């Protein structure tokens, strides 16, 4: 075996070991079940919205069906200059729902990103100590708040991240997105279990108001359109080590719509990928670079093989190392998320993924992207 072949194999081999570690971490992380004990926690649910007339009532009705005591939570819908009927629908629903529902009109903050501005202003107007955030296009189960409250009561965590997945629309597009997103949710969950949090998702995030204020909220990155979830989590993890947790419970699951076209998918993933260069924790940045380089090595292997610079045996070894343990890990996460039908598409996603990672890793180096009808930096 040549030196070149050995170098090319390093990336897939390290990835194989990394995926094995993720499998071990995922299996070691216990599933959480709601404890039927009196829970005094009072919750303020914050929902930033912009033009969500097609979705917002579905979420508000999900909250109407919560098993958690309706006297113990309020819902604040932070309307970010919607030009459709979002505000009208929320206002009308507030007159008939059995929980406290408020529609907030945001004031202008020129140096703050829209979503961070929405969350910050809603948080300052909230009545309760525990904050839960989700998005206007999400759906939640009837025990969602009960699961979060029970988990917080048991663990006393300062910040809790919950599972998120896409609706299975029965087509290849949504299922490919489900698989890709499961890799992010699963690896983020294991990292929190290891007390090395790196990622989370604002569609299912909760924390105490005191914790938010203790770390200065979104200060330091308020101008960045993305990161209302991850940058805050990193600050909490640095200030309060071991107090960032993932609730591994299907009762705490949040679902959202898969992207219907490549343009919206591209804009979101570019927005996500743009965050890595702003991370303050070198370990999180190093992980992003490792993922990028490991996938670059796979593409390099294919190119070298096509020019007869790499043997078929080495290419097959790369594929086995890269895909075997990764397939097992993704299967475990998808089963937990109730997305067993997407398991069959894992091999396809694995073939696409190296090109996907490299493409968005490079695309994120540019400036600006579109989101919710706005051009953001």
């Amino acid at each position: 075996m040549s030196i070149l072949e050995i170098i090319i194999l390093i990336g897939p081999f390290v990835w194989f070991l990394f995926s094995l570690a993720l499998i071990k971490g995922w299996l070691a992380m216990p599933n959480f079940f709601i404890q039927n004990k009196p829970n005094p926690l009072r919750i303020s649910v914050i929902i930033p919205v912009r033009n969500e007339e097609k979705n917002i009532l579905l979420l508000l009705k999900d909250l109407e069906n919560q098993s958690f005591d309706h006297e113990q939570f309020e819902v604040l819908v932070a309307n970010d200059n919607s030009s459709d009927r979002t505000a009208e629908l929320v206002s009308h629903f507030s007159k008939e729902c059995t929980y406290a529902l408020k529609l907030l009109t945001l004031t202008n903050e020129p140096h703050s990103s829209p979503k961070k501005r929405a969350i910050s202003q809603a948080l300052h107007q909230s009545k309760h100590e525990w904050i839960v955030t989700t998005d206007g296009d999400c759906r939640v189960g009837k025990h969602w708040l009960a699961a979060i409250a029970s988990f917080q009561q048991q663990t006393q965590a300062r910040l809790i991240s919950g599972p998120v997945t896409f609706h299975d629309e029965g087509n290849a597009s949504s299922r490919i997105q489900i698989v890709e997103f499961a890799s992010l949710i699963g690896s983020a969950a294991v990292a929190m279990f290891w007390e090395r949090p790196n990622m989370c998702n604002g569609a299912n995030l909760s924390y105490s108001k005191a914790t938010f204020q203790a770390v200065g909220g979104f200060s330091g990155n308020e101008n960045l359109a993305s990161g209302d979830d991850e940058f805050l989590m990193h600050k909490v993890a640095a200030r309060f080590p071991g107090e960032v947790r993932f609730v591994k419970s299907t009762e705490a699951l949040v679902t959202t719509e898969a992207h219907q076209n490549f343009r919206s998918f591209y804009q979101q993933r570019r927005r996500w990928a743009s965050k890595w260069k702003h991370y303050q924790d070198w370990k999180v940045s190093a992980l992003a670079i490792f993922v990028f380089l490991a996938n670059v090595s796979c593409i390099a292997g294919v190119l070298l093989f096509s020019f007869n610079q790499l043997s078929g045996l080495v290419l097959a070894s790369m594929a086995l190392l890269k895909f075997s343990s990764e397939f097992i890990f993704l299967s475990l996460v998808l089963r937990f998320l109730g997305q067993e039908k997407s398991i069959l598409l894992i091999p396809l996603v694995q073939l696409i993924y190296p090109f996907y990672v490299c493409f968005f890793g490079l695309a994120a180096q540019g400036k600006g992207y579109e989101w919710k009808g706005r051009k953001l930096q």
Side-chain angles (χ1 to χ4, degrees):
M1 185 177 292
S2 68
I3 294 177
L4 177 61
E5 289 175 329
I6 293 173
I7 293 173
I8 286 294
L9 279 172
I10 290 176
F13 178 70
V14 176
W15 189 269
F16 172 77
L17 296 178
F18 178 64
S19 295
L20 285 181
L22 289 176
I23 292 170
K24 182 179 179 181
W26 181 263
L27 293 175
M29 190 189 327
N31 288 303
F32 178 77
F33 299 96
I34 298 173
Q35 296 180 338
N36 293 319
K37 296 180 180 179
N39 195 317
L41 193 68
R42 291 185 174 271
I43 297 173
S44 292
V45 180
I46 295 176
I47 311 171
V49 295
R50 178 174 169 80
N51 296 338
E52 292 289 356
E53 65 177 7
K54 294 181 180 179
N55 303 301
I56 189 61
L57 284 183
L58 295 172
L59 175 58
L60 296 180
K61 289 176 181 177
D62 286 345
L63 292 169
E64 179 71 15
N65 294 327
Q66 290 297 295
S67 61
F68 195 65
D69 189 346
H70 288 200
E71 296 295 322
Q72 290 182 231
F73 74 90
E74 65 172 349
V75 177
L76 297 92
V77 177
N79 181 33
D80 181 14
N81 296 309
S82 294
S83 57
D84 63 2
R85 297 178 60 239
T86 297
E88 177 187 342
L89 293 173
V90 173
S91 180
H92 184 269
F93 189 78
S94 68
K95 300 173 183 178
E96 59 186 60
C97 64
T98 59
Y99 56 84
L101 173 60
K102 299 178 183 177
L103 175 66
L104 306 180
T105 300
L106 306 179
T107 58
N108 188 37
E109 292 180 21
H111 300 296
S112 181
S113 73
K115 192 170 182 182
K116 291 172 187 169
R117 173 170 60 107
I119 293 173
S120 294
Q121 292 187 16
L123 185 144
H124 289 310
Q125 296 187 52
S126 63
K127 294 193 304 183
H128 304 316
E129 172 60 19
W130 193 258
I131 304 298
V132 176
T133 67
T134 190
D135 295 329
D137 58 353
C138 290
R139 302 294 305 274
V140 300
K142 66 178 182 178
H143 299 305
W144 179 53
L145 291 179
I148 293 171
S150 182
F151 187 78
Q152 200 282 328
Q153 184 181 48
Q154 179 174 316
T155 64
Q156 295 299 301
R158 286 183 174 268
L159 183 145
I160 298 171
S161 175
V164 181
T165 190
F166 292 122
H167 304 313
D168 184 352
E169 298 173 3
N171 54 51
S173 175
S174 66
R175 289 179 179 175
I176 287 173
Q177 292 179 61
I178 286 168
V179 175
E180 181 265 342
F181 199 51
S183 69
L184 303 178
I185 296 298
S187 58
V190 174
M192 290 180 209
F193 180 66
W194 288 338
E195 298 186 3
R196 298 289 186 272
N198 51 31
M199 295 182 291
C200 61
N201 194 293
N204 196 1
L205 193 68
S206 61
Y207 41 84
S208 70
K209 190 183 298 185
T211 297
F212 182 88
Q213 294 167 342
V215 301
F218 299 127
S219 63
N221 51 66
E222 58 267 64
N223 61 312
L224 299 175
S226 188
D228 57 281
D229 41 23
E230 290 182 11
F231 290 132
L232 177 64
M233 181 194 68
H234 295 163
K235 292 167 73 173
V236 174
R239 178 74 179 273
F240 304 103
E243 297 190 53
V244 172
R245 304 289 296 273
F246 179 83
V247 52
K248 189 181 177 185
S249 168
T250 55
E251 302 285 12
L253 181 65
V254 167
T255 60
T256 188
E257 287 187 332
H259 294 280
Q260 301 301 310
N261 55 68
F262 179 76
R263 180 178 177 82
S264 64
F265 178 83
Y266 168 79
Q267 293 295 340
Q268 185 190 62
R269 293 308 190 267
R270 184 177 176 183
R271 180 171 63 95
W272 288 359
S274 68
K275 289 184 289 190
W276 80 268
K277 55 190 174 186
H278 299 286
Y279 290 146
Q280 299 298 311
D281 187 340
W282 69 268
K283 296 185 292 297
V284 179
S285 297
L287 178 61
I289 294 170
F290 161 67
V291 172
F292 181 79
L293 292 178
N295 284 281
V296 165
S297 69
C298 292
I299 297 175
V302 172
L303 292 174
L304 289 170
F305 174 75
S306 65
F307 287 102
N308 296 318
Q309 299 298 308
L310 201 69
S311 70
L313 178 61
V314 172
L315 185 66
S317 299
M318 289 179 61
L320 181 64
L321 288 170
K322 176 70 168 63
F323 299 147
S324 56
S325 55
E326 183 182 72
F327 180 91
I328 296 171
F329 175 66
L330 290 174
S331 297
L332 291 171
V333 178
L334 287 168
R335 289 185 186 281
F336 163 73
L337 295 172
Q339 301 284 15
E340 291 88 350
K341 292 181 180 179
S342 295
I343 292 175
L344 292 176
L345 285 175
I346 292 177
L348 176 60
V349 176
Q350 288 178 311
L351 290 174
I352 298 171
Y353 199 69
F355 300 94
Y356 158 87
V357 168
C358 294
F359 174 77
F360 282 105
L362 296 174
Q365 304 313 303
K367 291 185 177 181
Y369 38 79
E370 292 183 12
W371 189 244
K372 296 286 185 180
R374 289 181 173 137
K375 291 185 178 181
L376 304 171
Q377 298 295 322

